[in-house]
Amino acid sequence: MENVEVFISEGKGRGLKATKEFWAADVIFAERAYSAVVFDSLVNFVCHTCFKRQEKLLRCGQCKFAHYCDRTCQKDAWLDHKPECSALKRYGKAPSENVRLAARILWRVAREGTGLTEGCLVAVDDLQNHVEHFGEEERKELRADVDTFLQFWPPQSQQFGMQYISHVFGVINCNGFTLSDQRGLQAVGVGIFPNLGLVNHDCWPNCTVIFNNGKIELRALGKISAGEELTVSYVDFLSVSQERRQQLKKQYYFDCTCEHCQKGLKDDLFLAVKDNPKPSQEVVKETIQFSKDTLEKIDKARSEGLYHEVVKLCRECLQKQEPVFADTNLYKLRVLSIVLEVLSYLQAFEEASDYASRMVDGYMKLYHSNNAQLGMAVMRAGLTNWHAGNIEVGHGMICKAYAILLVTHGPSHPITKDLEAMRVQTEMELRMFRQNEFMYHKMREAALNNQPIQVMAEPSSEPAPALFHKKQ
């Protein structure tokens, strides 16, 4: 942690600043979780040590709850799992992920004390809990969690007061970091990373966070000068400033004062309409309401697995939006993202490729050039165009996505490695295409006939993994 130091950030409280200069893709620090658990819904499918999804996992022979890749992961987990294992057997069932995480934190506190642990700039005791800002519903959930915890906590373990237990649950609520699977595509768990908890928010940050090989990495998105504050974004940038501020206030209990929120930067692009001819305010208002109503219908159809109905609704909505909204309008981009995902799943790649290109054109004007979500979206669009046989467009997008992910994820991340292999393959195909287009298409057709197209993941109504995990 010699690359950073704690300081008091004006208007924010504690923060971290760089002690030396960094450039895009530099890892400022890496940190292992103080404590972490797998989500309740995935306990049988994800390793409880490294958080990788595996088809076959070993199960703890005593509690029958914890699952591991192999004996190595099981052995590495034993220090944390030993008290949990006996508590699970005594309690007779597994409590919620928040209760399990609180228990793991308190077992570690009992084992090591409440002071600073090795490599930590702040103790768990000193992390923000914001319990005093909880609304009535949050207080009710807190009381329920504490009651369950007290039933789960073994009487032979060190006992803690109600105030301290509530503090730990508050810390989880405010500082619980979302852990993703090995490819970064699905949220699989939640953990506490004390040093990361010191990094303040900015809607246009100079850093990003990625979970890679059992550790989080704080990575620079561009040049950072010595003494400059390090920031990450707690929420997705693709919302107007007022909505982002409301979300941050509700979930993290602070008023965002970043430049983009204060000046409403890019809000005009988020709500942009066509210039020639320019629609009337009444038509714009009507189209926004139509888009909101249709997105609700789309969410319902997705949740029921009615994917052809989703495509139909998206087509109708885009047709209504086309003469009114500009390419950067959020309502249009949300529909484009959904129809791209669903059509790719249905293997209607030719139609999907058109939507993919339009979506990327809008995203490129809105996101930071090294935004991780932009990189993932461009990668998805590139693969869609490749499946559609648009080798030149597909290769160009895959190269662009690879350049972004080298910064946001790094060369050792599994998804970057996958993308590098795809980049090499499409480069080879592009050379073949330019030498003999007819022969390229004949060979491609033969290859696809002999080898089934890889089925895309089933569309999900779940959002992309967020930076911090909030209890729903």
Side-chain angles (χ1 to χ4, degrees), residues 163-183:
Q163 187 174 353
Y164 192 73
I165 296 170
S166 298
H167 164 75
V168 169
F169 277 106
V171 166
I172 293 170
N173 186 68
C174 299
N175 295 279
F177 177 79
T178 302
L179 306 179
S180 56
D181 63 6
Q182 61 266 43
R183 300 188 72 238

Side-chain angles (χ1 to χ4, degrees), residues 114-183:
T114 59
L116 289 174
T117 56
E118 185 180 357
C120 285
L121 297 172
V122 61
V124 171
D125 286 24
D126 297 325
L127 289 173
Q128 288 282 349
N129 63 53
H130 289 291
V131 170
E132 70 276 12
H133 297 128
F134 280 14
E136 185 52 42
E137 190 61 33
E138 288 174 308
R139 290 181 183 275
K140 183 179 178 181
E141 290 176 355
L142 175 61
R143 288 193 293 270
D145 279 342
V146 171
D147 287 344
T148 303
F149 173 86
L150 292 173
Q151 296 172 48
F152 177 66
W153 189 251
Q156 70 271 20
S157 293
Q158 180 180 331
Q159 299 303 302
F160 295 91
M162 291 285 285
Q163 187 174 353
Y164 192 73
I165 296 170
S166 298
H167 164 75
V168 169
F169 277 106
V171 166
I172 293 170
N173 186 68
C174 299
N175 295 279
F177 177 79
T178 302
L179 306 179
S180 56
D181 63 6
Q182 61 266 43
R183 300 188 72 238

Side-chain angles (χ1 to χ4, degrees), residues 58-338:
L58 300 177
R59 188 172 67 168
C60 175
Q62 297 186 48
C63 67
K64 314 295 184 186
F65 172 76
H67 289 72
Y68 305 103
C69 295
D70 49 32
R71 296 297 180 192
T72 301
C73 279
Q74 186 173 17
K75 184 178 178 182
D76 290 344
W78 183 239
L79 183 64
D80 290 319
H81 180 58
K82 183 178 180 181
E84 177 186 64
C85 189
S86 59
L88 286 165
K89 288 188 291 182
R90 172 184 164 274
Y91 190 57
K93 59 181 179 179
S96 70
E97 61 217 26
N98 274 20
V99 172
R100 289 186 285 116
L101 181 54
R104 284 196 163 212
I105 291 170
L106 288 169
W107 276 314
R108 183 162 178 179
V109 168
R111 192 168 67 240
E112 300 178 359
T114 59
L116 289 174
T117 56
E118 185 180 357
C120 285
L121 297 172
V122 61
V124 171
D125 286 24
D126 297 325
L127 289 173
Q128 288 282 349
N129 63 53
H130 289 291
V131 170
E132 70 276 12
H133 297 128
F134 280 14
E136 185 52 42
E137 190 61 33
E138 288 174 308
R139 290 181 183 275
K140 183 179 178 181
E141 290 176 355
L142 175 61
R143 288 193 293 270
D145 279 342
V146 171
D147 287 344
T148 303
F149 173 86
L150 292 173
Q151 296 172 48
F152 177 66
W153 189 251
Q156 70 271 20
S157 293
Q158 180 180 331
Q159 299 303 302
F160 295 91
M162 291 285 285
Q163 187 174 353
Y164 192 73
I165 296 170
S166 298
H167 164 75
V168 169
F169 277 106
V171 166
I172 293 170
N173 186 68
C174 299
N175 295 279
F177 177 79
T178 302
L179 306 179
S180 56
D181 63 6
Q182 61 266 43
R183 300 188 72 238
L185 300 178
Q186 181 184 16
V188 297
V190 56
I192 295 297
F193 297 79
N195 296 330
L196 178 62
L198 291 172
V199 181
N200 286 318
H201 164 83
D202 194 295
C203 291
W204 199 260
N206 55 16
C207 297
T208 190
V209 183
I210 199 72
F211 187 63
N212 185 17
N213 196 27
K215 297 182 287 187
I216 62 99
E217 294 175 349
L218 186 73
R219 304 180 67 89
L221 294 178
K223 182 185 176 183
I224 299 175
S225 301
E228 186 177 343
E229 180 173 10
L230 304 171
T231 57
V232 295
S233 182
Y234 296 178
V235 297
D236 184 18
F237 180 66
L238 288 197
S239 294
V240 294
S241 55
Q242 183 182 0
E243 290 179 359
R244 290 198 308 271
R245 295 183 81 174
Q246 289 173 348
Q247 183 181 358
L248 289 162
K249 183 69 172 178
K250 180 181 178 181
Q251 293 188 349
Y252 303 102
Y253 315 103
F254 69 85
D255 295 306
C256 184
T257 58
C258 78
E259 183 182 17
H260 276 70
C261 280
Q262 287 188 326
K263 296 181 179 179
L265 300 180
K266 302 214 177 212
D267 282 358
D268 57 336
L269 291 175
F270 289 146
L271 301 175
V273 296
K274 290 286 178 73
D275 278 332
N276 189 21
K278 190 165 187 176
S280 67
Q281 283 295 321
E282 185 178 344
V283 169
V284 172
K285 187 176 179 181
E286 179 190 330
T287 309
I288 288 174
Q289 190 57 52
F290 179 84
S291 299
K292 288 180 177 178
D293 294 343
T294 305
L295 283 166
E296 287 184 10
K297 294 176 184 176
I298 288 170
D299 284 343
K300 184 174 184 297
R302 287 174 86 188
S303 67
E304 295 172 357
L306 304 174
Y307 299 129
H308 289 284
E309 177 66 15
V310 171
V311 172
K312 177 174 172 288
L313 288 166
C314 288
R315 287 172 181 154
E316 291 173 356
C317 193
L318 288 167
Q319 187 176 10
K320 178 88 170 178
Q321 291 173 343
E322 188 56 37
V324 180
F325 293 155
D327 293 341
T328 58
N329 188 284
L330 287 179
Y331 294 105
K332 181 184 279 191
L333 289 172
R334 285 166 186 164
V335 178
L336 285 171
S337 177
I338 293 167

